[in-house]
Amino acid sequence: MKNIAILGATGSIGQNSLAVIKSLPQRFRVTYLTANKNIDLLQKQIAEFKPKGVVVLDSCNASVLKKLLNGTVEVLAGEEGLEEIVRRDDVDIVISSLVGFAGLKPTIEAIKHRKTIALANKETLVVAGELITALLKEYDVSLIPIDSEHSAILQCLAGEDRSHVAKLILTASGGPFLTTPKESFASLSVEHALAHPNWKMGNKITIDSATLMNKGLEVIEAHWLFGLPPEKIDVVIHPQSIIHSMVEFIDGSVKAQLGLPDMKIPIQYALTYPDRLPMNGRRVNFPKLQSMTFFEPDKEKFRCLQLAFDALALGGTAPAVLNAANEVAVGAFLEKKISFEKIPLFIEKALSQHTVRHAPELAHIIETDKLTRNFVGALL
Ligand code: MG
């Protein structure tokens, strides 16, 4: 029996993780759940999964929940609460599914306490890939990706010698604006951008999918997870989202992982890796699918993808700048303060004013994140 803490239980990945855990009661038990603000949903999850404790990031909501639960479940608050629970002995696996930079510190704490990491929070590897990779080695900890593309690559690599890999091919749906002309980008609404064609996800990642920044962040994530240089990581648009990613080998063979877009599949694979267990659900119906299409991403139209490749090439603290500027710009777009086309402009400005620091320590990354947020905030 493995004990699991879910950081970000009320989000899309958190809810799907709980569905997977519920289907495998003989293997997994939830010991801790965390939420940002949504204490209504958290309360329902507490009633169903009976964790030992919960963390609510927002301290006011934590106090409200504490009163409601009246001592039946331990309630902790804030970032300290997150860092506290991942240290505990009754946690074997930490599902890191917080949104954005907030996932970094608790994930580091979990690695230092030798917990297996199931990672959905790609920003952790984007901003601190070098540091995280070194810590995983130092503490001999496994980090298994939940992101569907990286889960696909991990599945393609099973049984393969890493030196036989020629390149990774990340697939991208292209998001809701794949065929929208760039001239219309200034007038796109938040509602348009949130209407993703294939995946139902949280707001931040859905906007990242619309700008293709999500794919850019995934390129950086893949670089750190699989140790390949940027020139050996390709992105191809595949609007049907059936192939979740591919690996090309040195003999020209290509392995792909296919499936219907359902996050429960990569979540279960991450939790049971390297084992594979049965799962009920719909299956790919090839005759019904009929065709799959592929094309080059337009990096001029979707500037964010190019900016992510640029930040990875710059290295050091540059991806942390990319991420922080993106988080602020996406937040401003969601609040209808800036138009969709402005998102990459703020990121580009933030990157161009930054002096890269190589081999950054955690303190440098945190400082870079803070300075970038202030810089973009002032521009807004
Ligand atoms: Mg993904």
Side-chain angles (χ1 to χ4, degrees):
M1 180 70 79
K2 298 269 189 203
N3 290 319
I4 300 183
I6 306 181
L7 310 185
T10 56
S12 166
I13 294 290
Q15 293 182 54
N16 275 310
S17 298
L18 285 170
V20 169
I21 292 165
K22 191 179 169 178
S23 72
L24 298 168
Q26 67 285 24
R27 283 212 174 212
F28 301 115
R29 173 172 52 209
V30 172
T31 43
Y32 297 95
L33 295 172
T34 87
N36 183 21
K37 282 184 183 156
N38 191 351
I39 56 170
D40 289 342
L41 179 56
L42 184 60
Q43 258 191 298
K44 286 182 192 139
Q45 293 176 340
I46 292 168
E48 186 172 356
F49 293 93
K50 307 196 167 41
K52 292 185 178 178
V54 297
V55 181
V56 181
L57 228 50
D58 179 90
S59 57
C60 292
N61 282 321
S63 312
V64 172
L65 185 67
K66 210 168 186 173
K67 266 188 199 144
L68 286 168
L69 292 172
N70 196 21
T72 52
V73 176
E74 183 186 15
V75 180
L76 294 101
E79 266 187 47
E80 311 75 51
L82 294 177
E83 289 171 41
E84 157 76 32
I85 57 152
V86 299
R87 290 187 203 119
R88 293 192 178 172
D89 291 337
D90 50 3
V91 174
D92 303 305
I93 302 174
V94 172
I95 299 181
S96 174
S97 54
L98 296 173
V99 179
F101 190 83
L104 178 62
K105 284 212 278 184
T107 304
I108 288 178
E109 201 60 21
I111 295 170
K112 287 184 172 173
H113 288 78
R114 295 197 159 82
K115 311 301 181 185
T116 298
I117 311 291
L119 187 79
N121 173 255
K122 66 192 73 175
E123 291 88 344
T124 289
L125 278 176
V126 169
V127 302
E130 205 171 346
L131 186 76
I132 296 285
T133 312
L135 286 172
L136 290 171
K137 214 169 171 188
E138 184 184 344
Y139 290 90
D140 192 23
V141 164
S142 317
L143 181 148
I144 320 293
I146 283 179
D147 213 344
S148 60
E149 293 77 1
H150 307 77
S151 176
I153 291 168
L154 188 67
Q155 294 181 54
C156 293
L157 289 174
E160 298 288 352
D161 189 314
R162 294 293 168 105
S163 68
H164 295 163
V165 174
K167 66 176 174 184
L168 309 178
I169 305 165
L170 297 179
T171 54
S173 70
F177 305 139
L178 184 58
T179 56
T180 308
K182 193 165 187 193
E183 301 72 58
S184 315
F185 274 20
S187 56
L188 292 171
S189 70
V190 170
E191 291 71 23
H192 270 128
L194 286 177
H196 195 278
N198 302 342
W199 295 94
K200 196 180 174 306
M201 307 174 286
N203 285 355
K204 196 261 176 184
I205 184 170
T206 305
I207 302 304
D208 285 346
S209 296
T211 62
L212 290 202
M213 177 57 91
N214 184 52
K215 208 52 52 182
L217 299 178
E218 288 178 355
V219 168
I220 302 174
E221 186 186 8
H223 164 72
W224 292 113
L225 279 172
F226 304 110
L228 268 92
E231 61 275 14
K232 289 190 172 178
I233 307 174
D234 281 359
V235 173
V236 63
I237 304 288
H238 164 47
Q240 296 80 15
S241 295
I242 297 296
I243 294 182
H244 299 307
S245 278
M246 305 182 254
V247 177
E248 185 188 300
F249 295 91
I250 48 175
D251 61 354
S253 290
V254 177
K255 281 167 84 173
Q257 187 264 345
L258 290 73
L260 293 177
D262 179 349
M263 286 309 293
K264 288 195 280 301
I265 299 171
I267 290 169
Q268 178 170 299
Y269 189 72
L271 294 179
T272 62
Y273 178 84
D275 204 358
R276 192 188 287 279
L277 293 184
M279 181 182 283
N280 294 324
R282 294 185 306 127
R283 298 294 195 249
V284 180
N285 180 331
F286 287 97
K288 206 175 152 199
L289 180 68
Q290 290 189 337
S291 69
M292 292 193 283
T293 52
F294 306 92
F295 42 99
E296 282 265 345
D298 183 344
K299 290 184 191 154
E300 284 297 313
K301 182 170 146 186
F302 295 102
R303 275 294 291 156
C304 287
L305 180 58
Q306 183 60 51
L307 291 170
F309 271 100
D310 295 347
L312 179 55
L314 285 166
T317 44
V321 173
L322 174 91
N323 179 69
N326 181 58
E327 283 190 33
V328 177
V330 168
F333 172 69
L334 284 168
E335 287 169 21
K336 303 187 177 178
K337 286 180 185 159
I338 63 167
S339 72
F340 185 78
E341 61 162 1
K342 291 271 161 57
I343 296 172
L345 300 182
F346 287 106
I347 301 166
E348 199 162 8
K349 278 187 183 156
L351 277 172
S352 63
Q353 58 84 46
H354 178 70
T355 309
V356 175
R357 181 170 191 138
H358 289 282
E361 288 170 24
L362 180 60
H364 303 136
I365 295 164
I366 292 172
E367 192 196 0
T368 301
D369 178 79
K370 203 171 143 194
L371 289 172
T372 307
R373 281 167 202 272
N374 291 342
F375 174 79
V376 179
L379 286 181
L380 289 166

